[in-house]
């Protein structure tokens, strides 16, 4: 289950090599993603989340913006901390939607994950 962004970009190379060596690769990803896209090199299994692409971009842009706002160290620290909590909550909700997806969980069980 990849994480969008730099983690996925690094992982993608490994998946391509595994596929070249004859392995079947299955990628489980949320429908809302910046970089995780279907490929002929792996089976893609997607699941829905309550967040839209716009929601995700807005939360991430707010986090980046707050990281560069002026203020004392403590003001900046607490602003970034609050945004990190929002991003963390978003990750937890995404994981909950994955685990509550009965069809996808059945597929993964059948494949002996």
């Amino acid at each position: 289950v990849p994480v969008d962004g730099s983690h996925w970009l690094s992982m993608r190379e490994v998946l391509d090599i595994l596929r070249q060596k004859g392995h079947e690769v299955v990628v489980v990803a949320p429908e809302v993603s910046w970089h995780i896209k279907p490929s002929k090199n792996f089976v893609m299994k997607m699941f829905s989340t309550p967040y839209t692409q716009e929601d995700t971009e807005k939360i991430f842009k707010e986090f980046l913006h707050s990281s560069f706002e002026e203020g004392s160290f403590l003001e900046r620290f607490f602003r970034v901390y609050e945004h990190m909590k929002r991003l963390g909550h978003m990750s937890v909700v995404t994981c909950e939607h994955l685990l509550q997806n009965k069809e996808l969980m059945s597929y993964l069980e059948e494949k002996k994950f």
Side-chain angles (χ1 to χ4, degrees), residues 67-96:
S67 300
F68 296 104
E69 285 180 351
E70 300 219 4
S72 72
F73 171 77
L74 282 176
E75 289 171 332
R76 289 181 291 129
F77 175 83
F78 284 113
R79 270 196 311 266
V80 169
Y81 173 73
E82 287 302 317
H83 284 286
M84 290 298 293
K85 282 189 350 185
R86 284 179 70 194
L87 289 169
H89 176 73
M90 187 178 208
S91 295
V92 168
V93 170
T94 298
C95 288
E96 287 172 347

Side-chain angles (χ1 to χ4, degrees), residues 16 23 25 32-33 35 51 57 64 71 73 79 88 96 106 108:
D16 290 342
H23 295 276
V25 177
V32 173
S33 173
H35 301 288
Y51 300 108
E57 288 176 15
L64 287 177
F73 171 77
R79 270 196 311 266
E96 287 172 347
S106 293
L108 294 174

Side-chain angles (χ1 to χ4, degrees), residues 6-109:
S6 62
H7 301 309
W8 168 248
L9 299 175
S10 300
M11 197 157 129
R12 177 76 192 258
E13 289 183 41
V14 173
L15 299 182
D16 290 342
I17 291 168
L18 286 171
R19 177 70 174 149
Q20 290 170 7
K21 293 184 180 227
H23 295 276
E24 178 185 4
V25 177
V26 177
V27 173
V28 177
E31 290 175 339
V32 173
S33 173
W34 290 317
H35 301 288
I36 306 170
K37 304 295 180 211
S39 167
K40 62 181 175 21
N41 290 333
F42 52 79
V43 174
M44 183 79 147
K45 294 292 182 180
M46 301 185 89
F47 61 95
S48 64
T49 67
Y51 300 108
T52 65
Q53 190 77 28
E54 293 77 24
D55 294 334
T56 305
E57 288 176 15
K58 180 179 182 248
I59 290 170
F60 190 72
K61 284 179 183 177
E62 287 173 355
F63 166 69
L64 287 177
H65 180 72
S66 73
S67 300
F68 296 104
E69 285 180 351
E70 300 219 4
S72 72
F73 171 77
L74 282 176
E75 289 171 332
R76 289 181 291 129
F77 175 83
F78 284 113
R79 270 196 311 266
V80 169
Y81 173 73
E82 287 302 317
H83 284 286
M84 290 298 293
K85 282 189 350 185
R86 284 179 70 194
L87 289 169
H89 176 73
M90 187 178 208
S91 295
V92 168
V93 170
T94 298
C95 288
E96 287 172 347
H97 273 74
L98 165 61
L99 295 173
Q100 293 168 359
N101 185 319
K102 291 182 184 358
E103 182 181 325
L104 182 52
M105 289 294 108
S106 293
Y107 170 84
L108 294 174
E109 260 183 45

